[in-house]
Amino acid sequence: MKTEDKTNCQKKILTIPNLLSLFRLLLIPLFVWLYLEKQDYRMTTVVLVLSGLTDVVDGYVARHFNMVSDFGKVLDPVADKLTQLAMLFCLLDRFHFMLIPLILLVVKELFAAVTGLMTIYKTKVVLGADWHGKATTLALYTMMIVHLVWYSIPVAVSNILIGLCVAIMLLSFVLYAIRNIRIICKGESHV
């Protein structure tokens, strides 16, 4: 792909991956309503899995069809994190230890947003997700879906799953913090 074409694509907003991210945002009120109001955990699971699948598809389409855009690099994780926050909030209704990943997610994402904006200012580059960010997303979705599907999950199993998820989240938090602070302080580029 020519450099000019790649630059034009990076600036596009209306792309298939971005529309899929917007669709994920629209699914949030639906699964919150299904979970809290209708208490239909099966349909909540279906909507959450659909949201996760559109996340995978939008990433695949963006990379394989050269539709990666700076707007998408921001919108995609926002859709992910809002989905995760909403579902963790819903699950908090039945599983009180969900408060730990919920608080950690808020702290991690606020820190990542601030340091991420500082890295963009310093480097003029919007960085994408690293492997550990994707591992965190997978761990969160897996943990949430298990809690949706296994309605009477034993407390010990629930706590172990939450603990594993929190450990992965903490690892990702530390690795993103190191990356962003290194770029901010030393001017290192990470592309």
Side-chain angles (χ1 to χ4, degrees):
M1 177 179 256
K2 295 179 188 174
T3 305
E4 184 179 308
D5 291 342
K6 191 173 184 178
T7 302
N8 287 338
C9 189
Q10 287 175 332
K11 295 180 189 234
K12 285 188 179 180
I13 292 176
L14 196 59
T15 64
I16 292 169
N18 293 347
L19 291 174
L20 288 170
S21 292
L22 288 171
F23 177 68
R24 285 202 323 274
L25 287 171
L26 294 174
L27 290 177
I28 295 170
L30 176 61
F31 75 70
V32 169
W33 176 75
L34 286 168
Y35 186 90
L36 294 175
E37 187 65 30
K38 298 299 273 180
Q39 296 183 349
D40 188 340
Y41 306 126
R42 188 170 293 153
M43 279 308 296
T44 303
T45 304
V46 169
V47 174
L48 190 62
V49 168
L50 175 63
S51 177
L53 289 174
T54 61
D55 184 25
V56 172
V57 170
D58 84 46
Y60 176 83
V61 170
R63 284 185 302 279
H64 288 82
F65 295 99
N66 297 315
M67 292 184 183
V68 174
S69 67
D70 288 341
F71 181 71
K73 286 181 186 177
V74 173
L75 181 63
D76 179 64
V78 166
D80 289 344
K81 299 319 168 201
L82 289 176
T83 298
Q84 293 161 8
L85 286 169
M87 194 67 246
L88 287 170
F89 179 77
C90 288
L91 289 168
L92 187 58
D93 182 53
R94 289 181 29 234
F95 306 99
H96 301 296
F97 280 117
M98 288 292 171
L99 186 61
I100 298 167
L102 179 65
I103 290 171
L104 180 57
L105 187 62
V106 169
V107 170
K108 175 182 173 285
E109 294 310 317
L110 287 175
F111 180 83
V114 170
T115 59
L117 288 172
M118 292 170 74
T119 61
I120 291 169
Y121 177 76
K122 182 126 185 163
T123 65
K124 308 297 186 247
V125 174
V126 179
L127 301 175
D130 285 343
W131 68 267
H132 49 84
K134 294 175 184 182
T136 298
T137 298
L138 179 63
L140 277 164
Y141 273 96
T142 301
M143 188 253 317
M144 293 184 301
I145 289 170
V146 167
H147 280 82
L148 281 170
V149 172
W150 194 357
Y151 184 81
S152 58
I153 186 171
V155 173
V157 175
S158 172
N159 291 344
I160 289 169
L161 287 174
I162 292 170
L164 290 171
C165 189
V166 166
I168 294 168
M169 292 171 73
L170 282 170
L171 173 67
S172 182
F173 186 5
V174 169
L175 293 176
Y176 275 132
I178 291 168
R179 178 192 80 176
N180 290 354
I181 290 170
R182 182 177 291 145
I183 292 169
I184 293 164
C185 293
K186 297 182 181 177
E188 291 181 17
S189 181
H190 174 86
V191 185

